[in-house]
């Protein structure tokens, strides 16, 4: 089935718009809503905002949930769209690190030369959690990929912020699939 793209101004969306759409497409149709950045870039969660949230990770804490608590709280005080955009930006960062070269360096730094797809994902999370400068260094130079750090808890930061804000579970599929081997181009020889 072909994909149809509708560009609609926010001021034109009302309950009747959704009723009409349901009538045209059927009640079982899936609709994806994407918010494009305004010309002025106002009001949307930016990459700079993403790194500001990441910088709130409380590393002196030993408990993983406590490390991410300040970042989750700050994110929960923002617009709900910011939580979704945080998860989208995170998914892109993890996807960009999902390459054969990064994985090779990671594997070489393992004590037993083993490779776990999940552990490689958690190491990529740690790279992002270390902040923008470290992320960019590792992303631009795969030989800098660490083998001995992980921070799986970063994957649940947006879900925690959403729960704090709404009291509900976060059910969202981000723009990029960040599971290991998802970046097909990055794994080409």
């Amino acid at each position: 089935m072909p994909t149809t793209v509708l560009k609609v101004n926010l001021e034109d969306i009302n309950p009747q718009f959704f009723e009409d759409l349901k009538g045209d497409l059927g009640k079982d149709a899936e609709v994806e809503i994407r918010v494009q950045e305004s010309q002025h870039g106002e009001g949307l969660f930016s990459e700079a905002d993403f790194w500001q949230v990441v910088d709130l990770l409380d590393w002196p804490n030993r408990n993983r949930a406590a490390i991410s608590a300040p970042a989750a709280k700050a994110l929960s005080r923002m617009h709900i769209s910011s939580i979704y955009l945080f998860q989208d930006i995170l998914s892109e960062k993890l996807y960009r690190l999902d390459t054969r070269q990064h994985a090779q360096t990671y594997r070489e730094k393992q004590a037993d030369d083993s490779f776990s797809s999940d552990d490689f994902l958690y190491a990529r999370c740690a790279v992002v959690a270390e902040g923008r400068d470290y992320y960019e260094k590792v992303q631009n130079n795969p030989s800098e990929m660490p083998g001995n750090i992980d921070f799986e808890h970063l994957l649940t930061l947006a879900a925690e912020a959403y729960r704090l804000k709404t009291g509900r579970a976060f059910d969202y599929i981000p723009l990029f699939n960040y599971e290991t081997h998802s970046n097909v181009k990055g794994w080409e020889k």
Side-chain angles (χ1 to χ4, degrees), residues 7-153:
K7 288 192 176 189
V8 181
N9 288 324
L10 196 54
E11 63 189 26
D12 296 330
I13 297 177
N14 57 38
Q16 188 59 49
F17 170 82
F18 287 110
E19 287 302 316
D20 293 344
L21 197 58
K22 218 184 312 181
D24 292 342
L25 301 176
K27 65 179 183 175
D28 295 329
E30 276 191 19
V31 175
E32 178 177 299
I33 297 175
R34 292 184 186 257
V35 178
Q36 290 183 308
E37 194 155 345
S38 70
Q39 291 178 337
H40 307 291
E42 297 170 1
L44 289 181
F45 189 83
S46 68
E47 184 165 331
D49 296 327
F50 172 83
W51 290 115
Q52 286 177 346
V53 170
V54 169
D55 288 343
L56 294 173
L57 294 171
D58 184 13
W59 290 113
N61 254 303
R62 297 243 184 250
N63 177 291
R64 299 289 174 129
I67 290 169
S68 62
K73 285 178 188 166
L75 187 56
S76 74
R77 289 191 295 268
M78 297 178 188
H79 293 281
I80 201 157
S81 63
S82 296
I83 298 171
Y84 290 103
L85 291 169
F86 176 91
Q87 190 68 13
D88 283 342
I89 294 170
L90 174 61
S91 73
E92 181 203 7
K93 301 298 178 203
L94 296 173
Y95 178 86
R96 301 263 179 251
L97 292 172
D98 181 32
T99 72
R100 180 178 302 281
Q101 293 82 13
H102 287 93
Q104 183 64 35
T105 301
Y106 170 79
R107 179 183 215 149
E108 290 168 359
K109 292 181 179 179
Q110 299 307 301
D112 58 0
D113 196 38
S114 66
F115 184 83
S116 159
S117 294
D118 287 341
D119 289 344
F120 179 54
L121 169 60
Y122 307 151
R124 289 183 282 135
C125 288
V127 169
V128 175
E130 287 290 329
R132 180 182 220 148
D133 291 343
Y134 188 70
Y135 168 80
E136 289 176 354
K137 179 174 101 172
V138 173
Q139 201 240 336
N140 293 325
N141 188 355
S143 67
E144 296 289 331
M145 182 70 195
N148 58 349
I149 62 173
D150 68 84
F151 193 64
E152 176 186 4
H153 206 75

